[in-house]
Amino acid sequence: YGEICVCFSSNRFYLLNMAQTSHSPLPKLCSFLTAFLLLISLSTQQRVAHSHPLDDEAPRVLLKKNPLGACPPVPPSPSNTTLTVRNLRFSDISAVFAFGDSISAGFGMKTKHFATSFFEYRGAAASSGGDEGEVTLPNLLKDVRGGKELKGPGKGKEFPWDAIMWKSKIVRPHYPPVDHLNAARSNGRTKELPLQLAYILSQLKDEGVTDEDWKMATILVGANDVCSSSSCQPGSESGPEVYGQLIRTTLEQLHKQVPRVFVNLLPLFNISQVYDIGIKSEYCSLVFGAITECPCLTRHGPEGRKALGDMAVKYNEQLRQIADEWEAKKIGRLQSCPPAIHCIH
């Protein structure tokens, strides 16, 4: 009843074969989740490629069509089955929520014009979006549930008041009518995970989520921590050990306060590759020159970008350690799926 599964998604494709090489049975839900998240990752790239300033350089051979509606519903587990995180089916999941930063908030992801760059498209965010027709994890779950709605997906778009400070306070950290159980905040850092968890806890009742519901949570955070240092070296609040401890604390609190949760723990991408792709685009070149969102990416040359990549590797090593710790408790597993990103978003 109180179990939690931590599904760590490495950006190394070869781990996709763990189902065949593991000495112990791999949970079916983790296996299917890998395929679903990979599908979301690829489809997100294709959607952005058709509308994003990187259109000329974006990969083309991805999904041929929207996968929603392509698979038959999966019946829920029989009523006489004692469910744990190791025998869940997708159709057993009835609520979703997300932690993270502007990537999970969907900032600028459906941009067609500069004026629309400053919106969060939460209803289209891969981990928690619920807008009709968007290829997202909640919509894929809804598909295999025979069209039955989930609790918690974000809906629509909003201006990112959550990223704006006024008199040392965030103007509006969350807007439940749009965010629902997507607690991610543009410009968010790992140290804010306790506040994001507090928001989710405060909204569970309003979203109709009960202790008996099985929930799926996705955590993708750390890019702003890596980018926060002007010296391209980890500071006192952004070191890998600090990052790891904040993730541990959040998982422990989630385990204690929210029963029946399946967690997707996603790694950081190599932020330095953002520059390699973006610099080829006239639009992104202008953005890099005008906005210092990540100093080591654009202001410190190859050495600064190498430092970013090295830091991301150390962050991901922390995530792997955390996943191993949960595995040792017999309630965690490792899986593989790369996150997708263009420009900064």
Side-chain angles (χ1 to χ4, degrees):
Y1 182 82
E3 286 192 13
I4 185 172
C5 177
V6 178
C7 182
F8 174 71
S9 303
S10 168
N11 57 1
R12 295 180 176 140
F13 277 99
Y14 67 82
L15 286 180
L16 283 167
N17 294 321
M18 281 190 65
Q20 284 73 45
T21 60
S22 175
H23 294 294
S24 57
L26 192 69
K28 291 183 179 179
L29 184 59
C30 259
S31 300
F32 288 130
L33 181 64
T34 295
F36 271 102
L37 287 178
L38 181 58
L39 196 62
I40 290 170
S41 176
L42 294 177
S43 63
T44 301
Q45 291 184 40
Q46 175 145 333
R47 179 172 60 242
V48 175
H50 286 301
S51 61
H52 198 276
L54 287 177
D55 186 68
D56 292 338
E57 303 92 12
R60 287 293 188 179
V61 186
L62 296 172
L63 292 181
K64 298 297 184 182
K65 62 180 181 179
N66 191 315
L68 295 177
C71 297
V74 177
S77 298
S79 57
N80 62 348
T81 302
T82 301
L83 288 179
T84 71
V85 291
R86 292 176 177 268
N87 63 1
L88 280 176
R89 297 178 180 179
F90 269 111
S91 47
D92 296 322
I93 302 294
S94 56
V96 293
F97 44 91
F99 300 82
D101 49 33
S102 52
I103 297 172
S104 297
F107 181 81
M109 67 172 294
K110 293 175 70 69
T111 295
K112 293 184 179 180
H113 308 286
F114 184 77
T116 61
S117 297
F118 301 99
F119 283 92
E120 294 173 345
Y121 296 87
R122 291 181 178 258
S127 61
S128 62
D131 282 358
E132 189 71 27
E134 296 290 350
V135 184
T136 66
L137 182 57
N139 282 344
L140 290 166
L141 288 170
K142 177 182 173 182
D143 234 20
V144 299
R145 282 163 50 89
K148 188 176 181 180
E149 294 285 347
L150 281 90
K151 305 169 185 177
K155 298 290 181 69
K157 66 180 181 180
E158 62 179 319
F159 189 78
W161 295 110
D162 56 339
I164 300 175
M165 301 292 290
W166 176 254
K167 295 183 178 180
S168 301
K169 293 184 178 181
I170 300 171
V171 172
R172 187 178 67 193
H174 295 100
Y175 183 53
V178 174
D179 302 352
H180 295 276
L181 295 181
N182 181 353
R185 187 182 76 80
S186 289
N187 203 34
R189 300 187 184 182
T190 310
K191 66 181 180 181
E192 298 171 12
L193 286 178
L195 296 177
Q196 294 188 17
L197 177 57
Y199 167 75
I200 288 174
L201 293 175
S202 71
Q203 296 299 309
L204 289 176
K205 183 176 180 180
D206 290 344
E207 293 289 331
V209 180
T210 68
D211 286 351
E212 289 71 31
D213 290 328
W214 279 98
K215 304 100 178 162
M216 182 173 284
T218 301
I219 301 176
L220 173 58
V221 69
N224 291 318
D225 301 74
V226 171
C227 282
S228 65
S229 173
S230 59
S231 65
C232 305
Q233 297 298 323
S236 59
E237 293 186 350
S238 61
E241 292 77 15
V242 175
Y243 171 79
Q245 189 53 48
L246 288 167
I247 297 290
R248 283 185 181 87
T249 300
T250 301
L251 288 173
E252 290 166 359
Q253 289 302 312
L254 183 61
H255 185 204
K256 290 178 181 178
Q257 301 189 57
V258 185
R260 297 184 174 181
V261 182
F262 188 104
V263 178
N264 309 317
L265 188 58
L266 301 181
L268 282 181
F269 51 93
N270 186 342
I271 299 176
S272 63
Q273 293 175 341
V274 170
Y275 181 86
D276 298 334
I277 298 172
I279 199 63
K280 300 175 184 178
S281 161
E282 181 179 355
Y283 173 87
C284 284
S285 295
L286 291 173
V287 171
F288 290 157
I291 301 175
T292 310
E293 185 174 5
C294 191
C296 294
L297 185 69
T298 58
R299 298 285 190 266
H300 295 275
E303 291 185 0
R305 290 189 285 277
K306 181 180 183 301
L308 285 178
D310 293 344
M311 181 80 72
V313 169
K314 293 178 180 178
Y315 273 36
N316 290 341
E317 288 173 353
Q318 288 290 318
L319 295 181
R320 180 171 292 281
Q321 290 177 21
I322 292 168
D324 288 344
E325 291 165 9
W326 284 96
E327 169 66 14
K329 300 175 184 179
K330 302 302 180 184
I331 49 178
R333 285 291 180 184
L334 292 115
Q335 282 294 288
S336 170
C337 177
I341 194 81
H342 279 291
C343 268
I344 295 294
H345 302 88

